[in-house]
Every structure is written in C-alpha cells, then in structure tokens.
C-alpha cells in the first residue's frame, strides 16, 4: 500500500495552482506543493544534507525511506529555493523535476522500472507557458509531440514511432 501511495505522491508532486484547464493558451504557474514535500520528509527514516560550491545548487537534502526502498533529493539554490527534485526507488530513478529560480516548473519526467523515460513529459518556459509536451515509451519519444512559442502558440507538431524515429 505504501508503495502505491509513494508512486502516486511522486506523480502528483507538482500541482497546477490557480489556472483554467486550457493548457498552452494560458499562463500556468506550476510549483512545488509544500504539503507533499512535508509528507516525504515525515516518511523518511534517514536524512542528511550535502553542500556544493556552486551558485545554482548550493545544498542537496536527502530523505531516505528504507521501508519502501526510496530516496528523495531536494536540490536548493543559495536562496533556499528548490531547483530540482529527484526520486529514486530500488536504486532506479522514477521521477525528476527541475525548477527555474522564480519557482516555476521547468520540466518534469517520469521513468519506468528500468530507469528509462516513460509517460507524459512537459517542459515550460520561465514565464509559465508550455514549451513542449509529449509521451515517452521505453525511453523514446512516441506519438504526437507539440512545440510552443513563449506565449502559447503551437510552433510545430511532430510524430514519432515506437522506436523514437520521427515519421512526419
């Protein structure tokens, strides 16, 4: 049960806040849900932090849950803003998200049990508009991928086969 809960938690870590359902046509503010972060922290039985001599990432906070063999890493900048989240389960990365300095979601990816890209993929401009969206299957782009300009207009649509080869 906890494995299913943790999987759902990872997938829903990012919430749409204050937006209407039209995807690329409206400015979207996507950021970290603090209550979900807190639940990851509470479930952890081991925590530690590591400092980095960089400007974009200055500290990494690790939250390890031995019960479900998972670990979550929150990478933060010098202003304590989360810039990246990485979730690993059984030694394989299952989720990652990156954020701009203003807190806006840059991109999020899910991974399958072998660590390959899998499922819905979205990337955003710093202003919150969708930049690119599509689906990965077994590590390859698959189906329809849409590319947008910085104000939400579709620039191009590409189609990919099961081998990740562009077919249009």
């Amino acid at each position: 049960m906890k494995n299913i809960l943790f999987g759902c938690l990872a997938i829903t870590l990012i919430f749409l806040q204050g937006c209407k359902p039209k995807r690329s046509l409206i400015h979207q503010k996507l950021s970290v849900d603090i209550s979900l972060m807190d639940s990851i922290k509470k479930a952890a039985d081991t925590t530690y932090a590591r400092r980095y001599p960089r400007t974009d990432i200055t500290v990494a906070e690790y939250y390890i849950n031995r019960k479900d063999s998972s670990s979550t890493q929150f990478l933060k900048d010098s202003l304590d803003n989360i810039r990246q989240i990485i979730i690993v389960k059984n030694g394989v990365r299952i989720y990652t998200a990156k954020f701009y300095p203003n807190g806006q979601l840059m991109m999020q990816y899910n991974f399958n049990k072998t660590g390959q890209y899998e499922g819905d993929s979205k990337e955003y401009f710093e202003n919150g508009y969708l930049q690119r969206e599509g689906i990965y299957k077994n590590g390859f782009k698959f189906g329809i991928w849409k590319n947008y300009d910085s104000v939400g207009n579709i620039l191009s649509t590409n189609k990919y086969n099961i081998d990740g080869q562009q077919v249009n």
Side-chain angles (χ1 to χ4, degrees), residues 19-157:
C19 294
K20 296 178 184 172
K22 291 183 183 177
R23 291 197 304 222
S24 65
L25 303 177
I26 298 174
H27 170 77
Q28 299 179 359
K29 177 64 175 174
L30 294 162
S31 59
V32 177
D33 184 330
I34 302 303
S35 65
L36 289 174
M37 278 182 47
D38 289 343
S39 67
I40 288 171
K41 291 176 180 181
K42 286 179 185 174
D45 50 46
T46 304
T47 65
Y48 65 96
R50 180 177 175 195
R51 298 220 171 267
Y52 292 96
R54 297 168 45 174
T55 55
D56 58 336
I57 303 293
T58 59
V59 67
E61 295 177 355
Y62 296 86
Y63 297 89
I64 300 166
N65 184 336
R66 287 188 172 85
K67 293 174 194 156
D68 69 357
S69 301
S70 67
S71 65
T72 302
Q73 186 179 47
F74 296 112
L75 299 149
K76 296 181 174 184
D77 63 18
S78 60
L79 298 174
D80 206 35
N81 297 318
I82 292 180
R83 298 295 299 278
Q84 188 171 358
I85 299 170
I86 299 169
I87 300 175
V88 175
K89 187 167 179 71
N90 295 319
V92 178
R93 184 182 295 201
I94 62 169
Y95 177 83
T96 189
K98 292 184 180 182
F99 299 86
Y100 289 104
N102 67 2
Q104 169 65 38
L105 178 67
M106 180 187 300
M107 53 71 71
Q108 65 180 357
Y109 294 119
N110 293 299
F111 298 84
N112 63 20
K113 62 184 175 184
T114 61
Q116 296 174 322
Y117 293 125
E118 188 75 25
D120 291 339
S121 169
K122 294 184 179 185
E123 297 177 18
Y124 297 88
F125 289 103
E126 192 168 5
N127 65 6
Y129 283 93
L130 192 58
Q131 182 177 18
R132 182 176 302 113
E133 67 179 332
I135 297 172
Y136 279 101
K137 283 199 177 207
N138 296 316
F140 296 110
K141 288 181 178 180
F142 177 74
I144 303 296
W145 277 71
K146 296 178 182 177
N147 299 292
Y148 302 89
D149 67 14
S150 62
V151 293
N153 300 308
I154 293 180
L155 292 175
S156 64
T157 301

